[in-house]
Amino acid sequence: MCDVCVINSVKDKMISRRNLFKAAAAGTAAAAMASGLGAPAALAAGHGSVADMTHELHEQFPTYFGSQQFFKEQKFNWDEHKFNLFELRVNEHTGTHIDAPLHFSENGQSVAEVPVDNLIVPLCVIDIKARAAENDDAQVTPDDIKAWTDANGPIPDKACVAMNSGWDRHVNSEKFRNVGADEKMHFPGFHVEAAKMLTETGAVGMAVDTLSLDFGQSGDFATHYAWLPANRWGIENLANLDNVPAKGATLVVGAPKHRGGSGGSCRVFAMI
């Protein structure tokens, strides 16, 4: 058989297989619709752009306890092995990461048990940048939540409510931990009463652009204890909240899925 004939024969088979796959995909989608299956409600609206909400993780990334929590060792390299491979050792709560309910409860969901449709959710952003610029210990309060709902309507079902304090701009400086003369950290967070107020809504997630859901000088983790045990999750060290609107974006949390985990570093992005 001539070379051209062989090429044409392969091309015809590829086109035939492609059409078969298209037909199968269409059939699967039709079957899903007929059976009532569908995407999470947060995906119902169209989106035109994507914003990365994740800080780059590296050995010097600031941590709540102050010590290094991310370690990387190269086991194979290109010059010697013709491929690269790194072995990682990381504290679950390092970088942009998720707090699973188990983190602050005895029997809450592990990070592997958080339902995936609770990780693709409407994003509500409460902006306290002006207050945080004047007060390092600023907190999201029930009044802030009420002001948001007055302007934007009720908190959507399965939403993530995020604090935008502008603190992410300090991530490469000592200001991010901001340890004062009192030897306590000073950065914004959610007031415990705001957390309790949000438990009365259908929200499943809370997010901050700081090291903790609680404000820095908290000694009792009251917000964590008010929020996580109700099988709700938190995101800490979120980035680029200025790039998303107060309402209307969809947050996608690429949470890890290790068995029994209390959290883990994530790739988080918003569809706008």
Side-chain angles (χ1 to χ4, degrees), residues 14-153:
M14 291 176 64
I15 293 173
S16 177
R17 286 169 59 84
R18 190 178 302 125
N19 290 337
L20 177 64
F21 290 143
K22 285 182 179 179
T28 301
M33 293 177 65
S35 64
L37 298 176
L43 295 181
H47 300 88
S49 62
V50 178
D52 192 350
M53 314 295 290
T54 314
H55 287 292
E56 184 178 22
L57 185 56
H58 54 86
E59 290 87 342
Q60 288 76 44
F61 195 92
T63 67
Y64 186 87
F65 297 107
S67 57
Q68 182 179 345
Q69 293 180 181
F70 176 79
F71 303 84
K72 181 179 70 173
E73 180 182 355
Q74 187 158 13
K75 295 293 187 178
F76 297 89
N77 63 79
W78 180 258
D79 288 341
E80 186 177 355
H81 308 101
K82 296 308 175 189
F83 68 95
N84 293 301
L85 187 149
F86 295 86
E87 182 173 280
L88 307 180
R89 178 164 63 90
V90 59
N91 181 301
E92 291 175 311
H93 301 274
T94 307
T96 302
H97 68 273
I98 186 170
D99 285 2
L102 183 62
H103 186 35
F104 272 78
S105 61
E106 183 177 5
N107 298 307
Q109 293 169 342
S110 73
V111 70
E113 294 170 330
V114 176
V116 70
D117 60 348
N118 281 3
L119 298 173
I120 305 174
V121 297
L123 178 62
C124 308
V125 180
I126 297 178
D127 191 326
I128 65 164
K129 290 198 302 292
R131 201 158 75 242
E134 298 179 353
N135 178 12
D136 294 342
D137 299 316
Q139 297 182 73
V140 175
T141 66
D143 286 343
D144 293 315
I145 296 172
K146 185 178 185 302
W148 191 96
T149 57
D150 286 347
N152 300 286

Side-chain angles (χ1 to χ4, degrees), residues 98 111 114 119 252-257 264-267:
I98 186 170
V111 70
V114 176
L119 298 173
V252 180
V253 181
K257 198 176 180 181
S265 300
C266 297
R267 187 67 181 265

Side-chain angles (χ1 to χ4, degrees), residues 228-244:
L228 296 177
N231 273 340
R232 291 172 162 93
W233 49 261
I235 297 288
E236 294 167 338
N237 301 320
L238 206 59
N240 300 321
L241 279 161
D242 279 343
N243 294 342
V244 297

